[in-house]
Amino acid sequence: MSLMQSVSGAPLTRALVNRSFSLWSRQRMSALAWADVVDTQRKTIRWLVKTAADTRFGQDHQFRSIRKVEDFQSAVPVRTYEQFYDEYLKASMPRAENLSWPGVVPFYALTSGTTQGATKYIPVTRKMVWSNLVASRTMVAQHMAARRDSKLFHGKFFFLGGSTALEEIAPGVRQGDLSGIAALEVTDALRPYTFPPLGLALETDWEKKLAAFAERSVREPITLISGVPSWLLILFERIFEYTGKSTLAEVWPTLEMVVHGGVKFEPYRSRFEAILGDRSRIRLQETYPCSEGFIAIEDYATPHLRLLFDHGIFYEFIPVDELGSARPTRHWLGTVRPGINYAIVVSTCAGMWAHLIGDTVRFESVNPPLLTFTGRTKYTLSAFGEHLISEEIENALATVAAAQNATVSEWHVGTVFEGALGYHRYIVEFATPPADLKAFRDALDADLSARNADYQAHRAEGVGIPAPELIEAKPGTFREWMRSKGKLGGQHKVPRMDAAGKVTQEIVDFVASGGLLARRVGAGPGG
């Protein structure tokens, strides 16, 4: 331990840091409450284009002539990652200098959200590291402003991420997991406040890392733990086995926050609530980060996500129904309306401009900007005109599971093209299985029909698609499948929906070949 770490981690220093951050937290939340969201976003896009005006991208799109949001929208078309990569990044890789942001891009975050598609290399600049830090501090500030007796900085923040081992692909340029980039950027003074230590975080074998986390973390005064829900649950199971305890409050008496993100939380909520222990002390905190930037945090006073708007990201929103059109309507925080399903477009201080990130949201409120994550632009099932989105399936699974005293661990659904009419195939792994699998399937089908009129219409008797097939996989199935894909642990997530059905069939084959089938209810009848 360096002298700096010894001083910064001392009890007196921790007390001073905790007190100072607590005072700042109230100021920060007050400033956000009184901020003019629209004006802040207007200033953000001006700052972004002014900063990048002399880059190749800025020159190509006449950034020096942009004065207002409408100018930007006219000059810069919406692009997918693939379009940006082909037009700009591909020729410059791995060293992008003054391409779409001043200077050399020092990091690339390799996306690992699903097993579908090729790896994406998302630029991460020093300014984007700052942006993510501002968002993280805002999340902590919200907690400490609401809980005046918080002692977060008296303990350690446990980040359950991927490996911090980054590959150097050019002088001064590295690529790897986003959590690895964040861990590498932690200053020496902050090391005493974080877990795991850098040496352990570098471990690439997920099983070894998980075992070490379970053994070593229980000896630490953890006050905050963060990760993807599915991997957090696996870690907690290991810890309970190791300690013989059954709640997080018993394991870590100092724990205040369990921060989760990356997937919809509802299917996991009941399991988390059952193992928290002291609910008055430990708070579940949802976050909405992605490789392109930190988008939102769960609002303390509502069940919605609060959009972060003052950390170097400019947001636009395209109605999902207009995706794919030549000139989709581009809203921003000055024009969005509640109740509409939008695809998010971001322009960031990492040089991603009018970038369609692939997520969809619905605003619950504009002032303050509160939203609900509704899914992925590619996570829809509509091969038969049913127009199901992931939010509807997530909520239906959670509702039916709760009604039947079941608990869903992981799930996937895809389309099967077979016969005159195809159908949907669900593969579900339960922590607590339902007593009657067919009753579960029928209740799920009925719930989706109630939520979605198009789905109900396409399930009409005599003319509709059959009731879905439901395959119950044995516990651990998705974990082993992810291992077979080389995507075990960290920020890797099970792909939820597959409109083409190829990934679905791959999972079914894995279940069959591995003897992992528990129960099965076939598709049908048609109405």
Side-chain angles (χ1 to χ4, degrees):
M1 182 180 295
S2 69
L3 177 61
M4 173 63 76
Q5 292 179 26
S6 297
V7 173
S8 65
L12 178 59
T13 306
R14 287 180 177 275
L16 291 172
V17 169
N18 199 84
R19 176 62 177 165
S20 299
F21 202 94
S22 180
L23 292 172
W24 175 82
S25 294
R26 297 170 213 171
Q27 297 172 0
R28 171 64 172 159
M29 299 314 295
S30 177
L32 285 177
W34 288 99
D36 185 326
V37 177
V38 173
D39 187 57
T40 301
Q41 278 284 281
R42 188 181 287 115
K43 290 176 179 176
T44 295
I45 191 60
R46 288 175 182 167
W47 171 74
L48 287 170
V49 298
K50 180 180 180 181
T51 304
D54 292 329
T55 64
R56 179 188 155 196
F57 192 98
Q59 292 173 351
D60 287 351
H61 296 84
Q62 293 80 49
F63 273 12
R64 289 200 174 279
S65 66
I66 292 174
R67 298 291 181 269
K68 54 187 178 179
V69 172
E70 293 74 16
D71 294 342
F72 175 79
Q73 292 174 330
S74 296
V76 184
V78 172
R79 286 180 171 88
T80 63
Y81 169 80
E82 289 77 13
Q83 290 170 328
F84 174 73
Y85 181 84
D86 288 342
E87 293 176 35
Y88 284 92
L89 196 56
K90 185 176 181 179
S92 301
M93 284 290 286
R95 187 176 175 84
E97 185 170 6
N98 295 323
L99 178 67
S100 60
W101 192 257
V104 177
V105 174
F107 303 108
Y108 292 96
L110 306 186
T111 58
S112 54
T114 74
T115 59
Q116 296 168 296
T119 298
K120 296 180 182 179
Y121 302 84
I122 305 298
V124 179
T125 61
R126 299 287 180 191
K127 205 63 179 178
M128 179 51 66
V129 172
W130 162 84
S131 172
N132 290 335
L133 182 60
V134 171
S136 299
R137 286 175 174 171
T138 302
M139 179 193 70
V140 172
Q142 178 182 239
H143 172 80
M144 296 190 76
R147 185 175 297 185
R148 298 297 179 90
D149 63 345
S150 172
K151 295 184 177 180
L152 277 181
F153 290 92
H154 286 259
K156 293 188 176 184
F157 295 13
F158 183 171
F159 300 107
L160 182 63
S163 172
T164 60
L166 302 178
E167 177 188 4
E168 186 168 18
I169 54 176
V173 180
R174 285 175 280 190
Q175 67 181 20
D177 194 281
L178 183 61
S179 62
I181 297 171
L184 190 67
E185 289 296 293
V186 172
T187 64
D188 208 36
L190 291 178
R191 293 286 176 198
Y193 296 87
T194 64
F195 180 89
L198 194 56
L200 179 55
L202 285 168
E203 175 60 60
T204 57
D205 186 310
W206 179 248
E207 290 292 347
K208 289 182 181 179
K209 176 182 286 191
L210 201 62
F213 281 173
E215 181 180 348
R216 295 177 59 174
S217 66
V218 298
R219 301 196 295 266
E220 300 285 356
I222 302 299
T223 53
L224 178 152
I225 184 167
S226 173
V228 175
S230 54
W231 300 120
L232 282 173
L233 286 173
I234 292 172
L235 171 68
F236 296 157
E237 288 172 2
R238 290 289 185 91
I239 288 174
F240 294 152
E241 290 173 4
Y242 179 74
T243 62
K245 297 176 180 177
S246 58
T247 68
L248 298 181
E250 294 176 282
V251 173
W252 294 304
T254 54
L255 186 64
E256 295 185 22
M257 296 179 72
V258 178
V259 180
H260 57 87
V263 297
K264 286 283 284 184
F265 190 62
E266 286 311 308
Y268 300 97
R269 185 176 297 278
S270 62
R271 294 179 69 191
F272 272 82
E273 291 177 343
I275 62 175
L276 286 181
D278 187 353
R279 288 299 311 280
S280 65
R281 178 169 59 81
I282 304 175
R283 180 172 186 270
L284 293 171
Q285 170 72 57
E286 184 172 4
T287 60
Y288 175 12
C290 61
S291 298
E292 292 84 358
F294 204 135
I295 306 296
I297 59 174
E298 183 180 355
D299 182 58
Y300 203 91
T302 73
H304 307 306
L305 292 166
R306 178 181 284 266
L307 190 74
L308 301 172
F309 57 86
D310 65 345
H311 64 317
I313 298 177
F314 177 74
Y315 302 97
E316 295 178 83
F317 305 91
I318 295 176
V320 169
D321 292 344
E322 296 187 33
L323 285 176
S325 65
R327 299 183 65 83
T329 306
R330 293 167 65 172
H331 294 278
W332 62 295
L333 284 178
T335 62
V336 291
R337 296 291 180 267
I340 298 173
N341 203 28
Y342 291 110
I344 298 185
V345 175
V346 299
S347 297
T348 77
C349 52
M352 301 296 285
W353 298 99
H355 172 55
L356 188 67
I357 66 175
D359 291 344
T360 61
V361 298
R362 179 184 63 247
F363 277 88
E364 310 296 342
S365 163
V366 177
N367 189 20
L370 301 177
L371 51 84
T372 296
F373 177 87
T374 56
R376 298 281 295 168
T377 56
K378 294 183 180 180
Y379 277 5
T380 59
L381 294 180
S382 196
F384 316 111
E386 65 274 34
H387 302 306
L388 278 177
I389 63 175
S390 58
E391 180 195 29
E392 293 166 331
I393 296 175
E394 293 271 9
N395 292 338
L397 280 168
T399 299
V400 173
Q404 299 197 11
N405 297 316
T407 308
V408 175
S409 293
E410 291 287 0
W411 64 275
H412 171 88
V413 59
T415 305
V416 177
F417 300 95
E418 186 175 282
L421 288 173
Y423 55 89
H424 297 160
R425 172 181 281 159
Y426 289 82
I427 307 157
V428 181
E429 185 182 317
F430 295 97
T432 305
D436 187 331
L437 193 65
K438 184 177 185 301
F440 187 97
R441 189 281 305 269
D442 292 343
L444 176 64
D445 184 41
D447 190 286
L448 289 172
S449 294
R451 291 176 189 273
N452 186 306
D454 287 328
Y455 180 79
Q456 183 181 42
H458 286 81
R459 285 279 295 113
E461 184 174 359
V463 296
I465 60 176
E469 178 183 18
L470 177 56
I471 296 173
E472 179 188 348
K474 292 180 179 179
T477 294
F478 280 101
R479 183 182 178 190
E480 292 306 311
W481 181 70
M482 292 289 281
R483 185 205 302 277
S484 75
K485 305 294 291 183
K487 295 182 178 291
L488 188 64
Q491 295 180 316
H492 299 293
K493 292 159 283 187
V494 173
R496 294 304 191 200
M497 301 171 73
D498 177 20
K502 293 180 180 179
V503 173
T504 308
Q505 186 60 52
E506 183 181 323
I507 298 173
V508 170
D509 292 342
F510 184 84
V511 168
S513 63
L516 298 170
L517 176 66
R519 291 181 292 178
R520 185 173 197 158
V521 176

